[in-house]
Amino acid sequence: MKFTSVYLLAFSFIFSLALSQSVLARGVYQQPDDFISHAFNAPTPKARVFWIDDEAQDVIEEILSHRFKKMRLRYWQQESETVWILEEIGKESPITVGIHIKDQAIAQTKVLVYRESRGDEVRHDFFTDQFKSVKLKDDLKLDRHIDGITGATLSVRALTKLSRIALWLDAHVTKS
């Protein structure tokens, strides 16, 4: 009986260690409401809704390279600034990203919630700072190359795609 309990204890320890390793990269780094209020550095404006029409559906799906099933997206706007809280799958789970755009260029990109088991390096400033001042070209590509991170390729792609989408959406809601 004692022999079995030692194995059971060892198995429990190894299982909990493995589980804790897979959870290490996951986390909530900032609440969306906090990101929005910090971006505007003023009282948070009322949320607005962008309805996904056929054109938007086509553009978003072209950027994502897969179906997009939402009918609307919430955003916040104050003059020529918008904030978008968007999600895209990294490898298996959604990554929630806040993107602040000012004068049709990215002012800030922040990973708000990361649910993948690895690749969370994309949440650090050394990576997200690459998006500052980036604009969208006519061909729906960013006007600057974003360096990847070894082991986080799919997360890098997710943030890059979300940035392209946010810039395109911003251009449509801030049109004069």
Side-chain angles (χ1 to χ4, degrees), residues 127-157:
F127 177 73
T128 57
D129 282 350
Q130 295 182 84
F131 290 94
K132 286 183 179 173
S133 302
V134 168
K135 294 183 176 193
L136 191 66
K137 299 188 302 185
D138 291 338
D139 64 356
L140 301 177
K141 304 281 188 207
L142 299 179
D143 69 351
R144 185 181 319 148
H145 174 73
I146 302 297
D147 288 332
I149 299 173
T150 303
T153 302
L154 298 176
S155 297
V156 169
R157 286 182 188 159

Side-chain angles (χ1 to χ4, degrees), residues 9 73 118-119 153 162:
L9 183 62
L73 293 168
R118 57 184 58 138
T153 302
L162 293 177

Side-chain angles (χ1 to χ4, degrees), residues 57-73:
Q57 184 84 23
D58 291 345
V59 169
I60 292 170
E61 288 180 357
E62 179 183 337
I63 292 170
L64 292 176
S65 298
H66 65 76
R67 295 265 307 130
F68 184 74
K69 298 176 184 171
K70 294 187 177 188
M71 295 175 56
R72 63 188 174 270
L73 293 168

Side-chain angles (χ1 to χ4, degrees), residues 73-129:
L73 293 168
R74 286 181 24 170
Y75 70 99
W76 294 260
Q77 183 176 3
Q78 192 168 332
E79 298 174 14
S80 65
E81 296 181 62
T82 59
V83 171
W84 302 86
I85 306 295
L86 302 171
E87 288 187 343
E88 172 60 344
I89 302 289
K91 182 176 183 180
E92 299 169 343
S93 301
I95 302 168
T96 305
V97 180
I99 302 170
H100 174 207
I101 300 173
K102 184 175 184 177
D103 299 323
Q104 296 192 337
I106 294 177
Q108 183 184 17
T109 300
K110 176 135 179 151
V111 174
L112 304 177
V113 183
Y114 194 82
R115 299 172 185 89
E116 297 284 358
S117 59
R118 57 184 58 138
D120 73 326
E121 296 88 353
V122 296
R123 73 183 171 93
H124 294 290
D125 291 343
F126 76 83
F127 177 73
T128 57
D129 282 350

